[in-house]
Amino acid sequence: MAELATIARPYAEALFKAAKADATAAAQWVEELAAIAGNEQLLQFADNPKVSAQQVFDVISGVCKQALPEIGRNFLLAVIENGRVAVLPEIARQFRSLVNAQLGASDAVVYSAYDIDSAALADLAGVLEKRFARKLNLQVVLQPELIGGVRVVVGDEVLDLTVKARLEQMKAALTA
């Protein structure tokens, strides 16, 4: 996927420079555009040579839940005219990374065997932010096979405190 990252980088950086102080607001509509661009039927429609860029723009902007600001409309038109609709999810990922770097934050995925209520998630966020020494944007993913505990992934760092991991460690120690 290095090719997608290479293609997406200039778009993400240009949008970040253009958005400036509104980067966090722009992140919301960029994420929405990325979700829409993940639809296989839309990608087929966008790749059809009989369909104009304006038609693709009208479909995508019509599906958006919120109205795109002028910068969003211009950005989307540039992406469509350059045939890069399929790259929108990667552009959104790189844009989110730039916004997080500006805010001194990181995205974190918390894998849990059970649903975590908002109070427990807030407590967990406080502990994890101290552990990783930065603000974290937590996303919870349920994985019942973990049995219990949590596994936290922040970038390339992993903190595995699951029952499954402890059982595997015990198994390795007993069979060694």
Side-chain angles (χ1 to χ4, degrees):
M1 290 292 171
E3 184 178 318
L4 281 181
T6 304
I7 293 169
R9 186 174 303 108
Y11 289 95
E13 290 173 351
L15 180 60
F16 184 73
K17 287 177 185 174
K20 296 178 186 162
D22 292 335
T24 53
Q28 293 176 341
W29 55 260
V30 170
E31 289 292 331
E32 186 176 6
L33 291 176
I36 293 168
N39 183 301
E40 194 63 39
Q41 291 175 329
L42 176 75
L43 293 176
Q44 290 174 356
F45 179 74
D47 287 340
N48 187 336
K50 294 181 181 178
V51 176
S52 71
Q54 185 61 46
Q55 289 173 314
V56 176
F57 176 82
D58 291 341
V59 168
I60 294 174
S61 60
V63 174
C64 286
K65 294 177 185 168
Q66 60 184 4
L68 290 174
E70 183 179 354
I71 188 174
R73 291 190 302 271
N74 293 339
F75 170 74
L76 181 58
L77 273 172
V79 168
I80 292 169
E81 288 172 354
N82 291 317
R84 302 295 190 204
V85 175
V87 185
L88 268 170
E90 180 62 21
I91 294 171
R93 190 190 67 70
Q94 290 191 22
F95 183 76
R96 187 175 52 247
S97 295
L98 292 169
V99 171
N100 284 343
Q102 179 186 37
L103 298 173
S106 293
D107 289 331
V109 181
V110 176
Y111 297 95
S112 174
Y114 302 101
D115 195 23
I116 302 173
D117 66 12
S118 58
L121 188 60
D123 291 342
L124 180 62
V127 171
L128 292 174
E129 286 174 358
K130 286 179 186 172
R131 165 70 169 79
F132 289 100
R134 57 187 173 262
K135 174 144 180 37
L136 298 175
N137 304 318
L138 298 181
Q139 173 191 0
V140 178
V141 176
L142 295 179
Q143 285 188 335
E145 65 270 12
L146 296 178
I147 304 170
V150 294
R151 185 173 75 231
V152 182
V153 178
V154 180
D156 60 354
E157 298 177 75
V158 178
L159 177 63
D160 196 344
L161 303 171
T162 61
V163 173
K164 181 179 180 182
R166 290 186 181 154
L167 288 173
E168 288 174 3
Q169 289 172 350
M170 290 170 61
K171 178 182 174 184
L174 289 172
T175 58

